[in-house]
């Protein structure tokens, strides 16, 4: 009986993982390079303001996300009120909405010439010129943070809701019998027990806010992300962009380190009591709960979606163009290639870990997922560094042999974009494929080997047929994430090449979202699938 040695699978897994981790290592090396002229100039002039703005933005986004998510999660998990079951998945819908689209729509609605202020002037102060009455300003750091929080809070909402469900209502009820009020029981019992989950959700939201470019750029808020774009696209300094990216990476690692340090040796244990006995809210409290959920849903999804549909109807002739079809086709084949590659890599990582229980076999799987927490902007710069270094070396070598230099044959093509998508979303494919592999009994592997099948034959004849649903889900989730990705696409796309996300953003930056409303709706429709998957996953375990 011949079998493929697991050592070959481990070697293959390590090779693929090394390629995916290489950009981060290259970023670290490039950040210590001697080319510091532009970075020193930025540090002496505006970089301090950029750092302060970034810290303020992240802090505000975390604050507003917690305000939106935690009360909603607790109400849905622990209380019984009208339309609760519908709200538990409806509150996830804002996750499909691009933040920069929401930012444009609310700016258009709330500006001086927008319908809201026009209505107020017609009711209270007709023909009042601008500046002679107070109205809050939308296009500032506070407005940007609210826009980001409106589309990012579902991450925390989903995690917190699951954590509240797992602890059950019995601990809360015990607290009430000890004389604590509802607010005291929520603050002293429910929140501390959910703290690890809440912190991880906030860290993920903070990383997303840290890497956002489109929203902060549209609101003219200068952050480290805009500094990265200006350094590379404006000044052509990859070294300065790498140094600023390292500052952002240190920020993400710092968030994780602070959480670990603050938690220390604390451990959180609680046992679910089985059937959840939710609190039946009275009429007043039920009305408040429903109103809160409706307001969140209106602000985060319904109002922007209605405005986009109105744009699409009124500007259908100009929006439904040949250029849109070309951009859609480009986005589809680009995302499809990245999805196939990430799924293949995920199967390699997880099958290797299944064949060998050693730490060296599982380490590539864990290492390949580390890039998912990185902001897309940082990852894009990290991808550029090894590519440009390789291209310079090849060009110099060919010129020394008397041949014409091929130029930017990697970083100037869609290869850079595909590679960035693979590195960025490998964790998505890994998680989906791994959960599917766990449902396959090891006895099937043993039976296959007793029949003389090699490890490779076992994979294709036994596992792949059983993994069809998981493979399809992984392909679809990565495909959709690639369709929505903007920061990396803006930095890495070749000249005269657009994805749906960059196509929509170009119109947003030109104050012409109406012309790209159909493309924006396509992005939202694509983003609804993972939202539905998330809600279905949560509802399987918890009602």
């Amino acid at each position: 009986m011949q079998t493929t040695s697991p050592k070959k699978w481990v070697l293959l897994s390590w090779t693929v993982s090394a390629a995916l981790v290489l950009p981060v290592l290259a970023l670290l090396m490039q950040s210590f390079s001697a080319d510091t002229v532009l970075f020193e100039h930025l540090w002496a002039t505006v970089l301090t303001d950029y750092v302060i703005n970034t810290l303020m933005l992240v802090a505000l986004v975390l604050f507003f996300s917690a305000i939106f998510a935690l009360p909603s999660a607790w109400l849905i998990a622990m209380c019984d009120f009208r339309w609760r079951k519908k709200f538990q998945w409806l509150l996830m819908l804002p996750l499909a909405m691009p933040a920069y689209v929401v930012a444009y729509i609310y700016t258009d609605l709330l500006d001086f010439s927008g319908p809201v202020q026009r209505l107020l002037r017609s009711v209270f102060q007709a023909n009042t010129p601008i500046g002679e009455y107070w109205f809050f300003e939308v296009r500032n750091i506070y407005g940007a943070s609210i826009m980001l929080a409106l589309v990012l809070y579902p991450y925390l909402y989903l995690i917190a809701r699951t954590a509240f469900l797992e602890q059950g209502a019995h601990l809360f009820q015990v607290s009430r019998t000890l004389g604590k009020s509802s607010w005291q029981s929520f603050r002293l019992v429910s929140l501390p027990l959910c703290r690890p989950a809440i912190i991880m959700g906030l860290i993920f939201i903070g990383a997303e806010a840290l890497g956002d470019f489109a929203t902060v750029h549209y609101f003219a808020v200068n952050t480290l992300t805009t500094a990265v774009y200006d350094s590379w696209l404006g000044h052509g300094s990859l070294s300065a962009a790498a140094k600023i990216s390292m500052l952002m990476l240190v920020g993400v690692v710092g968030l994780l380190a602070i959480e670990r340090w603050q938690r220390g040796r604390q451990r959180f244990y609680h046992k679910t009591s089985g059937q959840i006995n939710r609190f039946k809210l009275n009429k007043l409290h039920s009305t408040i709960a429903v109103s809160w959920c409706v307001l969140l849903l209106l602000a985060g999804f319904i109002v922007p979606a209605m405005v986009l549909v109105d744009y699409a109807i009124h500007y259908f002739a100009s929006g439904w163009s040949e250029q849109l079809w070309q951009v859609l086709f480009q986005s589809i084949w680009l995302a499809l290639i990245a999805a196939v590659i990430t799924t293949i890599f995920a199967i390699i990582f997880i099958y290797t870990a299944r064949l060998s229980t050693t730490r060296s076999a599982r380490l590539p799987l864990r290492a390949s997922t580390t890039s998912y927490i990185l902001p897309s902007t940082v990852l894009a710069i990290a991808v550029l560094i090894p590519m440009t270094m390789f291209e310079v070396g090849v060009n110099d070598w060919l010129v020394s042999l008397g041949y014409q230099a091929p130029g930017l044959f990697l970083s100037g093509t869609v290869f850079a974009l595909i590679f960035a998508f693979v590195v960025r979303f490998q964790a998505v494919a890994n998680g989906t494929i791994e959960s599917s592999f766990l449902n396959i009994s090891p006895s099937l592997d043993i039976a296959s080997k007793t029949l003389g099948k090699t490890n490779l034959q076992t994979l294709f004849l036994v596992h792949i047929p059983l993994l069809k649903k998981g493979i399809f889900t992984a392909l679809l989730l990565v495909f959709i994430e690639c369709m929505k990705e903007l920061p990396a696409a803006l930095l890495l796309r070749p000249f005269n090449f657009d994805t749906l996300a960059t196509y929509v953003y170009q119109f947003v930056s030109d104050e012409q979202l109406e012309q790209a409303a159909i493309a924006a709706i396509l992005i939202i429709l694509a983003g609804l699938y993972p939202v539905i998957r998330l809600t279905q996953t949560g509802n399987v375990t918890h009602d």
Side-chain angles (χ1 to χ4, degrees):
M1 179 178 68
Q2 291 182 340
T3 58
T4 305
S5 173
K7 292 182 179 179
K8 294 181 179 179
W9 285 92
V10 173
L11 178 62
L12 176 61
S13 186
W14 270 95
T15 303
V16 174
S17 181
L20 298 180
V21 175
L22 178 62
V24 179
L25 299 177
L27 177 67
L28 181 62
M29 293 176 57
Q30 184 69 31
S31 64
F32 291 102
S33 65
D35 183 15
T36 60
V37 176
L38 178 60
F39 182 78
E40 290 177 351
H41 171 71
L42 292 174
W43 186 265
T45 53
V46 297
L47 198 58
T48 302
D49 292 334
Y50 286 7
V51 171
I52 294 173
N53 287 343
T54 302
L55 293 175
M56 283 186 61
L57 178 74
V58 172
L60 288 169
V61 171
L62 295 181
F63 172 76
F64 287 121
S65 296
I67 293 296
F68 297 156
L70 295 181
S72 307
W74 193 83
L75 286 170
I76 297 296
M78 309 299 289
C79 301
D80 188 17
F81 57 94
R82 192 178 184 186
W83 302 326
R84 179 191 64 82
K85 290 184 177 181
K86 291 184 174 62
F87 282 129
Q88 74 178 357
W89 65 268
L90 286 173
L91 290 175
M92 292 290 296
L93 292 182
L95 199 60
M97 192 72 63
Y100 54 93
V101 172
V102 175
Y104 176 91
I105 289 172
Y106 278 112
T107 300
D108 188 49
L109 290 175
L110 299 175
D111 262 353
F112 179 79
S113 59
V116 173
Q117 290 204 48
R118 289 205 309 269
L119 176 64
L120 291 176
R121 288 196 299 271
S122 65
V123 172
F124 297 105
Q125 295 177 335
N127 301 321
T128 301
I130 188 170
E132 292 194 6
Y133 66 92
W134 179 88
F135 194 83
F136 60 88
E137 178 62 43
V138 181
R139 300 182 71 162
N140 54 30
I141 193 169
Y142 301 101
S145 61
I146 292 176
M147 300 303 137
L148 288 169
L150 279 175
V151 300
L152 293 177
Y153 85 83
Y155 288 115
L156 180 60
Y157 160 76
L158 180 65
I159 293 172
R161 181 173 70 89
T162 303
F164 287 137
L165 285 169
E166 288 175 347
Q167 69 180 232
H170 62 290
L171 296 176
F172 189 90
Q173 291 169 341
V174 170
S175 176
R176 292 301 307 275
T177 60
L178 293 175
K180 301 296 182 182
S181 66
S182 298
W183 165 246
Q184 289 175 324
S185 300
F186 173 72
R187 181 172 58 87
L188 298 176
V189 177
S190 297
L191 279 183
L193 287 174
C194 296
R195 178 176 166 273
I198 292 172
I199 292 297
M200 288 308 300
L202 289 174
I203 287 174
F204 188 84
I205 291 175
E208 289 290 320
L210 185 65
D212 179 82
F213 170 75
T215 307
V216 295
H217 183 260
Y218 180 72
F219 278 2
V221 178
N222 292 318
T223 64
L224 289 176
T225 306
T226 57
V228 170
Y229 278 82
D230 292 341
S231 298
W232 173 236
L233 297 179
H235 301 280
S237 175
L238 188 58
S239 175
K243 288 178 171 57
I244 299 171
S245 297
M246 275 304 300
L247 290 178
M248 299 172 66
L249 181 57
V250 168
V252 175
V253 174
L255 288 174
L256 292 169
I258 290 172
E259 193 278 330
R260 289 291 183 92
W261 170 78
Q262 188 178 8
R263 183 171 24 157
R265 295 182 176 272
Q266 297 180 46
R267 295 295 182 267
F268 297 83
Y269 301 105
H270 51 270
K271 182 179 179 181
T272 305
S273 58
Q275 183 66 33
I276 298 174
N277 298 317
R278 292 186 172 89
F279 303 104
K280 181 70 175 179
L281 299 183
N282 60 36
K283 188 174 182 179
L284 175 61
H285 291 163
S286 178
T287 302
I288 295 173
V290 170
S291 301
W292 172 256
C293 294
V294 168
L295 284 174
L296 268 185
L297 187 60
L298 282 171
F301 186 80
I302 293 178
V303 170
M306 290 177 61
V307 172
L308 280 177
V309 171
D310 181 67
Y311 287 164
I313 293 173
H314 285 87
Y315 294 87
F316 182 82
S318 57
W320 192 263
S321 62
E322 183 179 346
Q323 185 183 7
L324 174 61
W325 281 102
Q326 180 182 354
V327 170
L328 180 61
F329 175 73
Q330 290 174 172
S331 300
I332 289 174
W333 70 257
L334 190 72
L336 187 60
I337 292 173
V340 170
I341 294 173
T342 54
T343 304
I344 292 173
F345 286 173
I347 293 173
I348 292 173
F349 291 139
I350 296 155
Y351 190 56
T352 301
R354 186 181 180 91
L355 290 175
S356 176
T357 58
T358 62
R359 187 176 181 181
S360 62
R362 296 196 63 85
L363 191 58
L365 171 63
R366 301 305 171 213
S368 65
T369 62
T370 55
S371 298
Y372 191 63
I373 195 65
L374 298 181
S376 296
T377 309
V378 174
L379 185 61
I381 295 299
V383 165
L384 279 174
I385 295 169
M387 286 188 182
T388 54
M389 293 174 64
F390 181 72
E391 288 167 342
V392 169
V394 171
N395 287 328
D396 291 344
W397 177 64
L398 290 177
V399 168
S400 67
L401 296 177
Y403 296 101
Q404 183 178 358
L408 304 177
F409 58 92
L410 292 178
S411 62
T413 65
V414 293
F415 177 83
L417 202 50
I418 293 173
F419 182 60
F421 285 169
V422 171
V423 176
R424 169 73 169 158
F425 301 118
Q426 187 60 55
V428 177
N430 287 355
T432 306
I433 298 298
E434 186 174 20
S435 63
S436 297
F437 255 112
L438 291 174
N439 295 324
I440 300 177
S441 173
S443 61
L444 295 178
D445 300 59
I446 298 172
S448 178
K449 288 183 179 181
T450 59
L451 293 174
K453 302 300 181 182
T454 65
N455 291 328
L456 187 61
Q457 289 173 328
T458 300
L459 174 64
F460 280 97
L461 297 178
V462 177
H463 294 101
I464 296 297
L466 296 174
L467 290 171
K468 283 182 179 179
K469 288 186 178 180
I471 290 174
F472 175 75
T473 303
L475 287 170
L476 199 55
L477 289 177
V478 175
F479 176 86
I480 291 167
E481 290 292 339
C482 293
M483 292 279 285
K484 294 167 55 182
E485 177 61 29
L486 177 64
L490 280 176
L491 277 173
L492 298 174
R493 60 179 175 147
F495 291 112
N496 298 321
F497 186 93
D498 275 310
T499 64
L500 270 180
T502 61
Y503 178 78
V504 172
Y505 173 71
Q506 293 297 333
F507 282 97
V508 169
S509 60
D510 293 336
E511 303 278 354
Q512 294 179 341
L513 176 61
E514 299 86 351
Q515 307 294 331
I518 296 176
I521 291 173
L522 290 175
I523 294 176
I524 294 167
L525 291 176
L528 285 177
Y529 176 78
V531 171
I532 295 172
R533 287 282 302 177
L534 284 171
T535 55
Q536 286 178 342
T537 301
N539 292 340
V540 168
T541 309
H542 305 104
D543 178 25

